[in-house]
C-alpha cells in the first residue's frame, strides 16, 4: 500500500506481512487512519492495558464478529490485557417482561460468543466490563503522559483531561488494533500542539453548575475542539478529590456525547492546566461565556421524546457513566433524606443505579448498600444505553440524570435535584 | 451550479441527491435505530439533529461538518456499509474527524466497501448545498452542486 508517514523497518515489515496477512491488514488500517490526519509517524502505546468500547454482542454487527474470528484464527492477541464497556443485560437486577426478554434475546444473541472472542484476544477477566475502567477499584489507570489505544468517549476524555494521558478519540476496532500492533498514529491529542485549547470557556454562574448540563453546553458549542474552562475551580476546588473526579467524569461524558470533546482543561485543577495555565489557550481562541441563563437555555432545549409527553415516570436510571463509590454513598444519603422528607420508605419510581462490578462489590460490603436496597433501588453493572436500545422498553417513560443516555435514547433528562423529587413521589414539570 | 474541491479520503464517481446537516452528525444516534431493526434503509433517528431527523439517507450524499458522539461511531459506519444501507458518500465541510475516518478506513479495508468520503470542502459548501439538491462527485474530490 501507499502511505505518507515515516515507518520504522520493524513497522514496515509488519505492514509487508512479516507477521502474517491479518496482522498486515490490522497495520494497514492503523497506518491509513494516521495518514488521514497527517501523522508523521507511529508512536508506541506506553500504557499497554487497553479499553474497548464494543462490549455488546448485537447480532447485526457482523463485521465485528468476523474480524474477531480472523484475529483469533491468526493467533493474534493484544500486547497487554484490556477492559471493555459494560455488559448489556442483568435480568436479576434489571427485570424485564417477556416481550422485552424476547427482544433482548434476539438483539444480544451473540453476547456469549462475543465474550469468548474477547477473552481469546486479551480481555483482562470476566469482571472487566465497565465504562469507568480508570477508577481506583477497577485499576486500569494510565499515568500522566502515557500513550493509550482506548475508545469509549467518556473514558478517553477522562484519561486525557483528568489523568493527563494521551489518546485520540479512537473508534471501536481502532482501539483494539492499536493495542494489538502496539503503536498509534502521532497526531491530535497525542501531540503537545493538539492539546492546546481553541476555546476559552468562562463559567459565570451564581452556583455550582450541574455537571451534565455544563458538559452538554460546552460539547454542543466547541464540538471536537479542546476547551479551557475558567471559573469552575471556585465550585469544585483545586484538588482532584473524589468529589471533583466524579464531577469531571460526568461533565466529560456530556462534553463527549453532546459534542466530540476528547480533552478539556479546567483552570487550576486538571494536571496540564495546573502546570501550564492559560498558556494552553491558543492566541486566536474563541470565547464562550456560560451563565445561569445560558445553562437554562441549554437545559430547556432538550426535547422530550416520550410517546406520551405527560406520562408519569416509570423507570429511572442513575449512573451513565458508571457511578463511583463516593457517588453511590452520596446518592444513598440524598435519597434517604428526600424519601424521609416525603414520608416514604421506598422510591416512588422503579430505580436502577449502575456501577462497575468492582465498585459494586466494595459498596455491597457497607451499610450504605443495605440502606439503598431497602429503599427499593437495584444496583447493577449493565450499560443503561444497551437496555434502552430495546424497542420494547420505549414505552416505559424512562428518566435519567445522564446527558449521554438522554442523547442516545428516548430517556428524559432531569437534574439531580429533580430526580430526587421524582423518586420521592413529587410531580416534576419542566 | 457551484463547484467545490475537497480532499479525497475514499474516492469515486457518483451522482445523486444530497441530505444536509449543518450541525455535527451523531453517528450512533443517527444510525442505531435503523441498524438495530435490520432495516433496508436508514431513517435518521437522532432527535437532537433537526436538519436530518426522520430523513432517509441510504444511497445519498450526506453533507456535514464532522461526525460527533460515541466512539462506537467508526464501527457503526463499518456496519452500515457492510449492510449496504450507508449513504453513498460522506461529504465533510471540515477536516474529517477520527471516528468517521475510522469508519471509512474499516469499511474500505475490511468490507471492500465503495463508500465515498471527501473532506475539507469548506464552509461555503455546507452553506450552499441544501437537502434535495443534485450532486455530482468526481474522482479528484470535486463536488458539483447543481
Amino acid at each position: 500500500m501507499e502511505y505518507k508517514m515515516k515507518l520504522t523497518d520493524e513497522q514496515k515489515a509488519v505492514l509487508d506481512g512479516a507477521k502474517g496477512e491479518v496482522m498486515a491488514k490490522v497495520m494497514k488500517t492503523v497506518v491509513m487512519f494516521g495518514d488521514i490526519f497527517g501523522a508523521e509517524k507511529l508512536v508506541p502505546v506506553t500504557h499497554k492495558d487497553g479499553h474497548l468500547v464494543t462490549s455488546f454482542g448485537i447480532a447485526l454487527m457482523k463485521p465485528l464478529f468476523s474480524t474477531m474470528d480472523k484475529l483469533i484464527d491468526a493467533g493474534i492477541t493484544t500486547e497487554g490485557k484490556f477492559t471493555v464497556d459494560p455488559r448489556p443485560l442483568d435480568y436479576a437486577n434489571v427485570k424485564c417482561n417477556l416481550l422485552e426478554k424476547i427482544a433482548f434475546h434476539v438483539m444480544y444473541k451473540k453476547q456469549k460468543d462475543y465474550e469468548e472472542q474477547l477473552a481469546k484476544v486479551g480481555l483482562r477477566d470476566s469482571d472487566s466490563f465497565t465504562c469507568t475502567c480508570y477508577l481506583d477499584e477497577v485499576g486500569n489507570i494510565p499515568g500522566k503522559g502515557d500513550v493509550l489505544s482506548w475508545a469509549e468517549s467518556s473514558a478517553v476524555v477522562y484519561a486525557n483531561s483528568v489523568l493527563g494521558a494521551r489518546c485520540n478519540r479512537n473508534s471501536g476496532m481502532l482501539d483494539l488494533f492499536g493495542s494489538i500492533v502496539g503503536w498509534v498514529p502521532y497526531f491530535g491529542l497525542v501531540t503537545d500542539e493538539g492539546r492546546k485549547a481553541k476555546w476559552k470557556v468562562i463559567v459565570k454562574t451564581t452556583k455550582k453548575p450541574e455537571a451534565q448540563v455544563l458538559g452538554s453546553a460546552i460539547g454542543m458549542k466547541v464540538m471536537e475542539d479542546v476547551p479551557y474552562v475558567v471559573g469552575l475551580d471556585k465550585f469544585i476546588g483545586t484538588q482532584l478529590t473524589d468529589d471533583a473526579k466524579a464531577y469531571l467524569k460526568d461533565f466529560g461524558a456530556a462534553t463527549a456525547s453532546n459534542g466530540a470533546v476528547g480533552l478539556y482543561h479546567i483552570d487550576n485543577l486538571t494536571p496540564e492546566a495546573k502546570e501550564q495555565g492559560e498558556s494552553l489557550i491558543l492566541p486566536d481562541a474563541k470565547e464562550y461565556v456560560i451563565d445561569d441563563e445560558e445553562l437554562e437555555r441549554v437545559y430547556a432545549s432538550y426535547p422530550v421524546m416520550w410517546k406520551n409527553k405527560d406520562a408519569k415516570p416509570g423507570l429511572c436510571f442513575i449512573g451513565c457513566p458508571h457511578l463511583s463509590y463516593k457517588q453511590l454513598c452520596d446518592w444513598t444519603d440524598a435519597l434517604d433524606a428526600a424519601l424521609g422528607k416525603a414520608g416514604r420508605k421506598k422510591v416512588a419510581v422503579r430505580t436502577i443505579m449502575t456501577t462497575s462490578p468492582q465498585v459494586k462489590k466494595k459498596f455491597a460490603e457497607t451499610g450504605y448498600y443495605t440502606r439503598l436496597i431497602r429503599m427499593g433501588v437495584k444496583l447493577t453493572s449493565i450499560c443503561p444505553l444497551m437496555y434502552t436500545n430495546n424497542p420494547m422498553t420505549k414505552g416505559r417513560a424512562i428518566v435519567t440524570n445522564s446527558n449521554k443516555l438522554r442523547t442516545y435514547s428516548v430517556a428524559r433528562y432531569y437534574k439531580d435535584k429533580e430526580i430526587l423529587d421524582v423518586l420521592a413521589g413529587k410531580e416534576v414539570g419542566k | 451550479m457551484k463547484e467545490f474541491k475537497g480532499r479525497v479520503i475514499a474516492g469515486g464517481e457518483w451522482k445523486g441527491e444530497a441530505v444536509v446537516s449543518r450541525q455535527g452528525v451523531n453517528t450512533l444516534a443517527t444510525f442505531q435505530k435503523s441498524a438495530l431493526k435490520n432495516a433496508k434503509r436508514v431513517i435518521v433517528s437522532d432527535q437532537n439533529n433537526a436538519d436530518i431527523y426522520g430523513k432517509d439517507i441510504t444511497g445519498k450524499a450526506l453533507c456535514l461538518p464532522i461526525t460527533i458522539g460515541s466512539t462506537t461511531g467508526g464501527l457503526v459506519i463499518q456496519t452500515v456499509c457492510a449492510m449496504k444501507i450507508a449513504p453513498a458518500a460522506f461529504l465533510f465541510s471540515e477536516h474529517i474527524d477520527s471516528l468517521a475516518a475510522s469508519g471509512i478506513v474499516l469499511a474500505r479495508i475490511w468490507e471492500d466497501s465503495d463508500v465515498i468520503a471527501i473532506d475539507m470542502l469548506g464552509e461555503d459548501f455546507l452553506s450552499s448545498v441544501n437537502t434535495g439538491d443534485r450532486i455530482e462527485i468526481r474522482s479528484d474530490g470535486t463536488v458539483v452542486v447543481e
Side-chain angles (χ1 to χ4, degrees), chain A residues 15-29:
Chain A
L15 192 61
D16 291 340
K19 291 189 176 176
E21 196 183 322
V22 179
M23 194 66 150
K25 218 167 164 180
V26 171
M27 190 69 169
K28 185 179 173 186
T29 309

Side-chain angles (χ1 to χ4, degrees), chain A residues 74-349:
Chain A
I76 292 171
T77 59
T78 51
E79 287 196 336
K81 294 291 181 184
F82 57 79
T83 49
V84 62
D85 267 6
R87 289 189 169 103
L89 302 171
D90 171 9
Y91 290 136
N93 292 298
V94 188
K95 295 216 179 303
C96 299
N97 63 33
L98 183 63
L99 283 178
E100 288 168 348
K101 273 190 182 171
I102 291 169
F104 276 132
H105 181 72
V106 174
M107 283 171 69
Y108 297 116
K109 70 178 174 191
K110 296 282 286 182
Q111 187 64 28
K112 188 170 167 289
D113 296 345
Y114 181 55
E115 288 189 23
E116 284 170 11
Q117 288 182 320
L118 288 172
K120 285 175 186 163
V121 175
L123 178 66
R124 190 177 72 176
D125 58 46
S126 61
D127 263 349
S128 293
F129 290 81
T130 176
C131 50
T132 54
C133 62
Y134 45 78
L135 293 181
D136 291 344
E137 294 85 353
V138 186
N140 187 355
I141 310 169
K144 185 167 177 292
D146 264 337
V147 175
L148 320 181
S149 182
W150 283 16
E152 167 48 46
S153 60
S154 65
V156 168
V157 74
Y158 188 93
N160 275 321
S161 311
V162 182
L163 303 178
R166 296 189 170 218
C167 185
N168 279 311
R169 273 171 54 87
N170 296 306
S171 168
M173 291 317 294
L174 264 294
D175 51 3
L176 179 63
F177 287 179
S179 293
I180 286 170
V181 296
W183 295 295
V184 290
Y186 184 68
F187 75 93
L189 299 176
V190 181
T191 69
D192 288 343
E193 200 50 37
R195 298 176 75 84
K196 294 275 172 80
K198 289 186 178 171
W199 285 83
K200 180 176 182 179
V201 177
I202 304 160
V203 177
K204 286 188 174 175
T205 54
T206 55
K207 57 183 184 203
K208 182 178 169 182
E210 196 87 1
Q212 303 259 7
V213 183
L214 180 66
S216 161
I218 292 174
M220 287 184 192
K221 177 66 79 176
V222 312
M223 285 289 140
E224 65 173 351
D225 290 342
V226 177
Y228 187 101
V229 183
V230 299
L232 189 58
D233 54 321
K234 76 176 177 191
F235 297 112
I236 59 173
T238 57
Q239 300 299 320
L240 287 169
T241 60
D242 286 349
D243 281 336
K245 286 193 280 190
Y247 185 98
L248 295 178
K249 166 176 75 72
D250 294 345
F251 163 83
T255 66
S257 57
N258 286 222
V261 175
L263 164 68
Y264 57 80
H265 302 292
I266 308 293
D267 196 38
N268 290 323
L269 181 59
T270 53
E272 280 153 273
K274 273 202 159 184
E275 277 175 13
Q276 301 174 55
E278 295 202 11
S279 67
L280 281 166
I281 304 172
L282 289 167
D284 56 347
K286 293 177 241 179
E287 271 195 8
Y288 177 35
V289 176
I290 297 183
D291 54 16
D292 296 342
E293 200 181 329
E294 174 63 359
L295 279 188
E296 278 311 303
R297 182 194 68 75
V298 170
Y299 179 47
S301 74
Y302 302 151
V304 179
M305 300 299 290
W306 291 350
K307 277 180 189 164
N308 172 9
K309 291 186 177 17
D310 301 319
K312 285 194 173 172
L315 177 61
C316 174
F317 272 111
I318 298 171
C320 171
H322 277 173
L323 294 168
S324 68
Y325 175 78
K326 179 73 165 46
Q327 283 180 305
L328 275 171
C329 297
D330 289 348
W331 272 105
T332 306
D333 284 337
L335 201 50
D336 214 349
L339 295 192
K341 212 170 161 186
R344 286 184 160 273
K345 288 194 172 167
K346 288 193 180 286
V347 285
V349 173

Side-chain angles (χ1 to χ4, degrees), chain B residues 39-134:
Chain B
K40 298 281 181 225
R41 305 195 69 80
V42 173
I43 308 298
V44 174
S45 50
D46 182 5
Q47 57 183 280
N48 291 308
N49 191 333
D51 292 343
I52 57 173
Y53 180 64
K55 291 201 162 56
D56 180 343
I57 55 172
T58 298
K60 297 184 180 169
L62 181 60
C63 308
L64 68 166
I66 54 168
T67 69
I68 60 170
S70 163
T71 46
T72 54
L75 191 53
V76 170
I77 291 175
Q78 182 189 6
T79 299
V80 292
C81 287
M83 291 170 73
K84 312 282 183 206
I85 58 170
F90 290 83
L91 303 179
F92 300 90
S93 61
E94 298 176 18
H95 192 297
I96 192 171
D97 58 280
S98 62
L99 301 182
S102 306
I104 301 298
V105 171
L106 289 165
R108 281 277 180 149
I109 293 180
W110 294 83
E111 307 305 324
D112 294 324
S113 166
D114 56 2
V115 66
I116 294 170
I118 295 169
D119 76 343
M120 296 195 282
L121 283 157
E123 277 180 31
D124 189 28
F125 164 71
L126 203 58
S127 53
S128 301
V129 66
N130 292 297
T131 295
D133 284 353
R134 298 290 299 170

